[in-house]
Amino acid sequence: MFMQTLSSPQVNPTAQRQPVIVANHLNHYFGQGSLRKQVLFEINLEIQTGEIVIMTGPSGSGKTTLLTLMGGLRSAQEGSLKILGQEICGATQRQLTQLRQQIGYIFQAHNLMSFLTARQNVRMALELHDGGSAQAMDAKALAMLEAVGLGHRADYYPENLSGGQKQRVAIARALISHPKIVLADEPTAALDKKSGRDVVELMQKLAKEQGCTILLVTHDNRILDIADRIIYMEDGRLK
């Protein structure tokens, strides 16, 4: 059983019909000169506000590369990729930085800071967004940890948390700033069946409450049913 949930503003139904991710004829390459290799081919995709989309496919098919482009972690090279209305193809580092502030990231390796407690790890995301006074940020971080069922572990360090608990902290950290998009790369890969299911259901629940969009990359067939839509990638192409 999860603990209390956070209150969030009502989502405008009209806004739900607006695409937050739009890719048109998107291509991407690694390397230079004779070593240049195309890894994404003619990607065309729209993802709407509030939609939960799972992307699946074989390892090495380009899923993580596409996810990093959509997260503003690198600039798109060819074609068009608009995230929250911002064109990523040819975007400056400043534009990418501003975009990343509106996106939450959850990865297979939870990437928690080992020298920070659960509360401090979550609070760190607020500090990056100029989240107010230290006391206010602490209260928000604790409330978010309570929402993921970890209020009683707020002052534990990652080494004293289970894999599922660490991933819940990562979810709390990703969602505390109310991002418009959450990108998750294999968030259940290192978890057992029950922990993995708990984690994705928690992501689904909190994201729906906040009205944000989720794009989740996974090989885990046990969680496909949480998606509004499933897309398949193979050899750098969406099928």
Side-chain angles (χ1 to χ4, degrees):
M1 291 292 293
F2 297 122
M3 307 292 285
Q4 69 186 63
T5 58
L6 296 180
S7 60
S8 56
Q10 293 296 313
V11 180
N12 185 333
T14 302
Q16 291 184 335
R17 295 194 293 270
Q18 301 302 314
V20 292
I21 298 174
V22 181
N24 284 306
H25 306 292
L26 180 66
N27 297 295
H28 198 74
Y29 306 82
F30 286 150
Q32 301 290 331
S34 61
L35 297 178
R36 191 173 190 241
K37 178 183 178 182
Q38 188 166 359
V39 292
L40 296 179
F41 299 81
E42 289 291 308
I43 302 297
N44 294 289
L45 177 65
E46 280 195 11
I47 299 177
Q48 310 297 320
T49 300
E51 195 174 16
I52 298 178
V53 176
I54 283 181
M55 180 162 54
T56 188
S59 296
S61 59
K63 302 184 301 298
T64 295
T65 298
L66 182 56
L67 203 70
T68 59
L69 291 176
M70 291 178 169
L73 300 176
R74 55 164 59 103
S75 180
Q77 297 168 340
E78 189 176 288
S80 175
L81 176 60
K82 291 184 178 179
I83 309 296
L84 300 170
Q86 170 69 55
E87 177 60 63
I88 302 304
C89 193
T92 65
Q93 283 303 313
R94 181 177 181 181
Q95 289 171 326
L96 293 177
T97 298
Q98 291 173 339
L99 176 68
R100 288 194 292 267
Q101 292 177 345
Q102 303 179 75
I103 298 174
Y105 304 90
I106 303 168
F107 299 104
Q108 175 181 343
H110 39 75
N111 295 334
L112 300 181
M113 299 294 184
S114 62
F115 54 87
L116 299 178
T117 65
R119 187 201 313 248
Q120 290 167 335
N121 267 284
V122 175
R123 174 181 153 166
M124 182 176 62
L126 283 177
E127 291 171 346
L128 294 173
H129 290 80
D130 190 23
S133 69
Q135 186 175 7
M137 287 190 291
D138 261 350
K140 288 179 181 178
L142 180 57
M144 193 72 218
L145 285 168
E146 288 173 348
V148 301
L150 285 180
H152 62 302
R153 295 285 192 269
D155 296 318
Y156 281 52
Y157 288 91
E159 65 182 15
N160 296 318
L161 299 174
S162 69
Q165 288 172 335
K166 291 175 186 176
Q167 202 62 299
R168 289 196 202 181
V169 175
I171 292 171
R173 182 181 59 188
L175 291 174
I176 193 167
S177 58
H178 287 255
K180 296 178 180 177
I181 299 171
V182 171
L183 301 176
D185 193 2
E186 298 285 0
T188 66
L191 303 178
D192 60 43
K193 180 178 180 179
K194 183 181 185 307
S195 295
R197 186 75 197 181
D198 286 348
V199 160
V200 294
E201 287 182 350
L202 182 61
M203 286 174 57
Q204 178 188 40
K205 179 176 183 292
L206 294 179
K208 286 295 186 184
E209 288 176 359
Q210 293 189 7
C212 71
T213 301
I214 295 180
L215 176 60
L216 191 156
V217 168
T218 188
H219 289 102
D220 190 346
N221 292 331
R222 302 169 300 184
I223 64 171
L224 299 182
D225 60 297
I226 72 150
D228 298 314
R229 180 160 52 113
I230 298 170
I231 56 179
Y232 183 81
M233 177 171 276
E234 186 173 356
D235 296 330
R237 295 175 169 87
L238 290 180
K239 302 295 185 179

